[in-house]
Amino acid sequence: TDYYTHRASSWKGPDVCGDVVDLWNTTGPARDRNGTDYIEELFTENSLGILDRHDPNEPLLLFHSFHIVHSPLQVPKNWEDLFAWVPHPARRKYVAMVHYMDHVVGLIVAKLKSKMMWENTLVVMSSDNGGQTTKYGANNQPLRGGKLSDLEGGIRVNAFASGGAIPHSKRGTKLDDYIHVADWYATFCAIAGVDMHDEKAEAAGLPPVDGIDHSALLLKSVKEAPPGSGQRTEIHHAVRALTRGQWKLITGGELDVEAMRNESAALGGPWVVRADYLTGYEDHYPHGRSMWCDSGCLFDIQADPIEAHDVAEEYPEIVEHMKQRLAELNANNLFVNRGQASRDGCARWPGFYGPWLATEGHGLEDNFNFV
C-alpha cells in the first residue's frame, strides 16, 4: 500500500476492486484519515493516543504494526536527506525508513515511561521475514538468501525484547533459543493468564493453535530459566524446510504447494531462489543464484549459520530422518482455497478494503482443506 495515498493501485495498479483504499480504523473504513498523512504518522498518533487515554492501573496489550520497512520504499524527504551520503537510492530510502521506525519506537517507549508503565512492561519487537534482496535496499549479510527463501537470510529475523518486566540478569543478553513467530501468541496468552485454546476453531475441524510459551525464558532470572532452556526444539518452516536441533533440511522452494492453487505463485519446486549472499541494492541478476535441493540440502546451522556448507552427503541418515519428520508435519498442513477474485467482495465497504467472510452461496466451510 502506498504510504501517502493508502491505495495499493498507486504503485501496483488497480485490482479487481479497482482503485480502492487500504486503511481501516478498528470498526470501519478510515474515511476521514486516508490520504491525509504519511501512514506511519497515523499509526504513531493512534498508538500514542491509546497510551495517553489508558489507565496505568489496568493491564494493556498494544500491538503496533509498522507498515515500514516494506515496499514501496517511501519516506518523508527530511528523513531521507539525513542519509544523503548513501549513494544507492533504494538503500538510502531503506536506511532512512529504519531510522524513522527506530524514532517511533523511542516515542512509544518515552510515552510508557511518562505514564509510569515502563517498569511493568514487556516490549517485543520482531520482523516477519528477512529483507528482500532484489531491488528494495535490504542487506541480510552475512546470512544467505532473503525473503521468499527458507535460507537463514529469509527466516532468521531481527528481534529483541525489552522493558522493565525483564529481570536485570537477562537484560543485554543474547538468547540462542529457537522462537517461532507463532510462539508470541502462546507467550502473550500465558503472561495475560488466558487460555490459548480456540474452541471455535476446534469445532470447525481446524488444527490446534501453533505456539509454545516462552514467558519463563523472557521473564524469569538467568538462574531460574537460563539461556538454552527454551522449549522449542524444531521449526517447521515450510512444506520443504525443517530445522531440528542443530540441523536444517531444505528440499526446495516453499511456494510450490501454493502454486497448485495459483499458478502465478509458481516459484517453488526443488529450486531454492535467491540462494546467494547478495544485497538488495547492488547490480545483479534479480534472483541471484539458485540452489538445487531436490534430494535434500542439509546444514548444521549452529556451526554454520551462514549455510556455506551443504553436508547432506556426509550425513545421509540425518537427511532421511529429517525428511520423514517433515512428511509427518506436512500431513497436518492447512491450506486456504482462496478461489477466484470476485467483485462481490468489493461492495460491502465502498471504496475500501475490509473484512469479507463470505457471500451468498459461498460458505466458509468450502474455504479450508487439508493436504
Side-chain angles (χ1 to χ4, degrees):
T1 302
D2 188 280
Y3 284 78
Y4 292 97
T5 68
H6 314 147
R7 299 174 186 268
S9 59
S10 297
W11 71 291
K12 286 184 177 180
D15 62 11
V16 67
C17 289
D19 187 23
V20 295
V21 175
D22 187 6
L23 189 65
W24 193 261
N25 188 13
T26 307
T27 59
R31 297 189 185 278
D32 60 333
R33 304 309 305 274
N34 69 283
T36 63
D37 206 341
Y38 188 60
I39 198 168
E40 294 298 338
E41 289 290 324
L42 300 181
F43 292 164
T44 303
E45 175 189 323
N46 186 69
S47 290
L48 294 179
I50 290 172
L51 292 174
D52 269 330
R53 296 185 296 272
H54 182 70
D55 180 355
N57 296 312
E58 296 293 327
L60 172 70
L61 171 65
L62 174 65
F63 175 48
H64 184 99
S65 181
F66 287 97
H67 179 23
I68 213 170
V69 176
H70 196 282
S71 58
L73 298 180
Q74 296 174 329
V75 67
K77 184 177 183 301
N78 59 310
W79 288 87
E80 183 176 354
D81 288 346
L82 295 173
F83 298 90
W85 50 271
V86 178
H88 194 286
R91 184 61 176 172
R92 183 168 60 250
K93 291 179 183 296
Y94 190 99
V95 296
M97 293 170 86
V98 172
H99 187 55
Y100 184 102
M101 179 173 62
D102 184 61
H103 168 72
V104 172
V105 172
L107 292 177
I108 293 173
V109 170
K111 181 63 69 175
L112 288 166
K113 289 182 177 179
S114 72
K115 296 275 292 188
M116 307 301 290
M117 296 168 63
W118 178 252
E119 291 305 317
N120 195 35
T121 292
L122 170 67
V123 174
V124 173
M125 187 163 183
S126 176
S127 181
D128 55 352
N129 50 252
Q132 178 68 275
T133 57
T134 50
K135 60 180 180 180
Y136 294 112
N139 185 346
N140 302 312
Q141 295 175 353
L143 301 179
R144 185 178 185 181
K147 183 176 181 178
L148 297 183
S149 89
D150 289 314
L151 292 161
E152 292 296 280
I155 61 175
R156 184 182 291 210
V157 303
N158 295 308
F160 67 82
S162 186
I166 295 180
H168 286 276
S169 61
K170 285 278 178 73
R171 299 177 189 180
T173 63
K174 178 182 177 181
L175 291 176
D176 291 322
D177 300 76
Y178 294 143
I179 297 180
H180 189 278
V181 67
D183 295 338
W184 292 123
Y185 178 73
T187 301
F188 296 153
C189 283
I191 293 172
V194 176
D195 185 0
M196 74 172 184
H197 176 64
D198 190 331
E199 294 182 358
K200 290 184 178 180
E202 182 181 33
L206 299 178
V209 175
D210 289 324
I212 294 174
D213 170 22
H214 295 289
S215 57
L217 195 60
L218 298 174
L219 300 180
K220 290 190 176 182
S221 68
V222 170
K223 183 177 181 180
E224 294 174 296
S229 62
Q231 301 303 302
R232 180 169 287 284
T233 59
E234 67 179 11
I235 299 180
H236 183 201
H237 302 294
V239 294
R240 287 181 172 270
L242 170 67
T243 291
R244 200 172 199 200
Q246 73 190 84
W247 301 109
K248 179 178 177 183
L249 175 74
I250 301 179
T251 62
E254 81 280 17
L255 297 179
D256 53 320
V257 173
E258 186 66 20
M260 292 190 298
R261 292 157 177 77
N262 179 7
E263 292 182 355
S264 66
L267 287 175
W271 287 104
V272 179
V273 299
R274 301 176 177 88
D276 220 317
Y277 300 92
L278 301 173
T279 69
Y281 51 92
E282 296 171 317
D283 293 329
H284 54 74
Y285 178 69
H287 289 176
R289 181 162 57 91
S290 295
M291 179 173 67
W292 178 262
C293 288
D294 189 38
S295 299
C297 297
L298 184 70
F299 300 97
D300 181 345
I301 58 168
Q302 292 182 4
D304 178 29
I306 65 173
E307 296 168 303
H309 306 288
D310 178 4
V311 295
E313 292 186 359
E314 300 174 43
Y315 300 97
E317 71 285 355
I318 293 177
V319 171
E320 186 58 32
H321 178 72
M322 294 280 285
K323 283 183 176 181
Q324 292 176 5
R325 178 57 179 160
L326 183 59
E328 292 173 3
L329 293 169
N330 284 340
N332 292 317
N333 278 352
L334 175 68
F335 292 93
V336 178
N337 184 356
R338 296 178 177 87
Q340 299 298 315
S342 170
R343 289 190 61 82
D344 292 346
C346 310
R348 186 174 184 185
W349 313 102
F352 280 75
Y353 289 113
W356 179 50
L357 296 180
T359 57
E360 186 176 354
H362 296 80
L364 287 176
E365 68 276 3
D366 299 326
N367 291 346
F368 299 96
N369 58 76
F370 291 90
V371 297

